[in-house]
Structure formats: structure tokens, C-alpha cells
Amino acid sequence: MKKQLVMVALCLAIVLNAQIKKPELMVFPSENWCVNNGYYTEVTNLDYQQKVPAYREALQQNTQLKMAIAKINDLFAARQFPLEDLEQTLKNIEQERAEDNLTMSKNGNELAETPLDQLSRVAKADIILELTWELSDMGPKHSLTYILEAKDAYTAKSIAAVSGTGAPSMSADVATLLEEAIVANMDNFQNRLMDHFAEMQEMGREVRIDIKVFADNAAGIDLETEYGEDELGDIIQRWMAQNTVSQRFSLKSASETHMDFTQVRIPCYDDYGIAMDAAAFAKKLQKALKKEPFKIPAKVMMKGLGRAVIILGEK
């Protein structure tokens, strides 16, 4: 009898473990690593010269980077974490290059995605892992100092970080040195990722939703337009309360032409089990405003996974 109970308990544990959903991860070289190793392009953003990581170039030219990412992928795959491949995602982005990723609104607001935003959007990873490392020579031996930081792909907020220096080794293989340096800290690091993901499942994903109004729009509306006894801005705020997880959101600022919602907690998945991002949530509001009695045309623009802009009045 005891033996049967043990077997039942074991089977139940296996089933429950299989049902535990884990976050999807993607490993990137950090911006610091890319710039220090010369893999970047310079772009002008509002008269400011910005160094933007060139991930594709780095993967094509740096074998150590491919080895390092492959090793991190292996360490997480061994613990049954689903992974998105950086190189394949970059290829997918290249195939979609014809799409217009830089959109200028009628108000002159430029809504451009960074390379990291593009990667996160296409991959739909829950968490991105930014890897930095540096090799040091100590006579015939080598040591590796690393930083592995986990960030929420939707908010770019840091979730967990681990760093250290491995013991000096005769090996010059980055993958081997990285494994030796990081493996002792992996369990605690992964536990922190799971804690964050579990909290997100309960409290919802955090995103940002911006509401704007086209100037002199054909619909002739702004956020102070009245429908019955209520202004449009109040109606939108109530909709947010009804559709966010546990009514969790903050209205950062508001006027007749804009509303900025931050810390908006949305369901992790839609009714079909598909991961929900900021744009998908914004489109639900877009559909609600399209119906009677509002009949308001609106345009939804995506800026990464964690931010969407809805512009009212035209489409």
C-alpha cells in the first residue's frame, strides 16, 4: 500500500511539474559588450549621436559570441526553459524589413523601434538575458569575468543579475570558461526568473498605453468630447479599470489631447492562449471605441512589446 501511495505521489509530482509554465528567454550580447568590441552603428536621434548595437554583424564576425550564447542557451535548455534563438530572429527581421517600422504621425511624433525593441517584438520572449564578458590573461592561464542580467522584455526593467570571475584555467575556450564561471550561480538566478514570471502570471504583464488625438481630425473629437454625461477621457479610464488585471494601472498625465497610462497590468494571454502584448491590448480599446455610440476611428502603433500608442480621430 505504501509503495502504491509513493508511486501515485511521484506521478502527481511529474504531472504538476509538466504543467508549470516557464518564461521564454532570449540571450543577447549587452550594449556594453557590443560597443566595446566595435559592433555598433551611430545614428542621430534628436541631434544626439547614439551608438546602436549591430547584433547581426557581431554574430557574423565574432565566433566567441556565438559560442557564449550557445553555452547560455544550453544551460537553460538543460533546465527546460524555452528559448528563442537570436540569430534566427535577426533573419526573420530581415525578411520583414519591407514593413514600415518608422512611422511619422500627423502631429510630427516619430515612433521608432530600437533594434532591441524589434528583436523583442519578433521573438515575443518574456525575458531577455543580456550577457557581458571579458577575458583576462594570467600567464598561460585565462580567466573570464561575466555579467548576466535578466530584463523584462516588456518594460526593460531588471529582474535579476549575476556576475563573477571564474577560476584561472588553461582553457581559452570562452564557452568552457563561461560555464565554469556561471554554473554555480545558475540555480539561484533561475529561481529569481521563475519568481518574477509567477508574479507576472498573477498580477499581469506591465505595459504602457499612450492615447493621443490627431490634430484637426475628421471625427472632430478630443478627450473632452462628451458622450451623454461623460467625457471621452473618463470613459477610456473606466474601460482601463474594467480590462486591466485587478484594475492595476496609473494615469501619469492627461489633457484634452493625450492620456498617458503607465504600470498597466494586462493579462499574459488572450482567450486563445496567445501571449498578449501592449499593441494587442490597445487594439481591444480601439475596437471598443469603434462601436456605438462612439464610432471613433483610431490608429494603433506599436513600439516594442511593452508600449503602444493609440491615436484617435483618424486611421
Side-chain angles (χ1 to χ4, degrees):
M1 183 65 180
K2 287 184 178 180
K3 187 175 181 180
Q4 290 177 330
L5 289 173
V6 170
M7 289 298 295
V8 170
L10 180 60
C11 291
L12 181 60
I14 292 173
V15 171
L16 290 175
N17 186 61
Q19 291 177 342
I20 296 174
K21 188 173 181 64
K22 292 184 177 180
E24 291 196 5
L25 312 175
M26 175 176 268
V27 184
F28 297 84
S30 71
E31 182 175 327
N32 174 273
W33 185 93
C34 289
V35 171
N36 286 342
N37 287 275
Y39 300 112
Y40 65 89
T41 57
E42 291 194 6
V43 298
T44 301
N45 185 13
L46 299 176
D47 298 326
Y48 172 71
Q49 285 294 114
Q50 184 177 1
K51 294 179 178 178
V52 178
Y55 299 117
R56 187 80 168 118
E57 181 183 344
L59 285 167
Q60 288 176 335
Q61 299 179 15
N62 195 299
T63 303
Q64 288 187 342
L65 172 62
K66 289 179 67 90
M67 293 170 60
I69 290 178
K71 178 50 65 177
I72 297 295
N73 283 344
D74 286 346
L75 291 173
F76 277 93
R79 291 163 172 80
Q80 298 182 338
F81 276 80
L83 292 153
E84 292 287 345
D85 182 68
L86 173 61
E87 190 166 15
Q88 184 58 50
T89 301
L90 287 167
K91 292 177 181 178
N92 293 341
I93 289 175
E94 288 179 355
Q95 292 173 356
E96 297 178 0
R97 191 68 69 183
E99 295 181 3
D100 185 12
N101 290 324
L102 299 175
T103 303
M104 185 74 72
S105 76
K106 291 186 178 180
N107 292 330
N109 298 314
E110 194 175 68
L111 297 170
E113 289 181 304
T114 67
L116 190 55
D117 284 334
Q118 291 177 332
L119 283 164
S120 299
R121 172 175 58 80
V122 175
K124 290 275 186 150
D126 300 297
I127 295 172
I128 60 175
L129 303 177
E130 290 190 351
L131 175 64
T132 303
W133 82 89
E134 188 174 62
L135 281 174
S136 300
D137 294 329
M138 304 168 63
K141 294 185 177 182
H142 311 276
S143 67
L144 182 142
T145 300
Y146 75 95
I147 302 172
L148 185 63
E149 183 176 13
K151 293 183 178 180
D152 188 306
Y154 288 67
T155 64
K157 291 181 178 179
S158 181
I159 300 166
V162 62
S163 62
T165 301
S169 170
M170 296 294 289
S171 173
D173 182 343
V174 169
T176 301
L177 291 172
L178 185 62
E179 181 175 15
E180 292 173 352
I182 198 174
V183 69
N185 298 311
M186 284 297 286
D187 289 340
N188 183 52
F189 184 71
Q190 291 177 343
N191 287 338
R192 291 167 70 181
L193 301 190
M194 285 301 299
D195 289 344
H196 170 79
F197 193 63
E199 179 184 332
M200 187 173 68
Q201 297 275 352
E202 179 183 349
M203 298 179 62
R205 297 186 193 274
E206 182 180 340
V207 301
R208 174 178 172 178
I209 305 292
D210 297 338
I211 313 290
K212 299 181 183 294
V213 178
F214 277 120
D216 301 320
N217 62 82
I221 58 100
D222 59 35
L223 291 164
E224 292 182 352
T225 299
E226 294 184 352
Y227 292 87
E229 298 180 352
D230 298 314
E231 292 185 351
L232 179 57
D234 296 328
I235 293 168
I236 290 175
Q237 192 168 354
R238 281 204 299 270
W239 185 93
M240 295 290 286
Q242 292 168 355
N243 288 272
T244 51
V245 176
S246 302
Q247 300 184 347
R248 290 188 174 100
F249 67 92
S250 296
L251 180 57
K252 184 178 180 182
S253 61
S255 72
E256 64 179 332
T257 59
H258 81 275
M259 298 178 78
D260 297 333
F261 292 97
T262 61
Q263 298 177 316
V264 179
R265 293 286 185 161
I266 66 174
C268 290
Y269 304 97
D270 64 16
D271 296 336
Y272 300 98
I274 300 172
M276 183 177 290
D277 56 27
F281 183 76
K283 286 178 180 177
K284 292 179 64 177
L285 175 55
Q286 178 193 36
K287 291 179 180 179
L289 294 176
K290 186 179 179 180
K291 298 177 180 179
E292 294 281 359
F294 314 112
K295 301 183 72 173
I296 298 173
K299 185 182 188 69
V300 173
M301 292 189 287
M302 184 177 194
K303 189 173 183 182
L305 288 174
R307 183 184 173 195
V309 180
I310 307 175
I311 308 184
L312 306 178
E314 296 177 14
K315 188 171 183 180

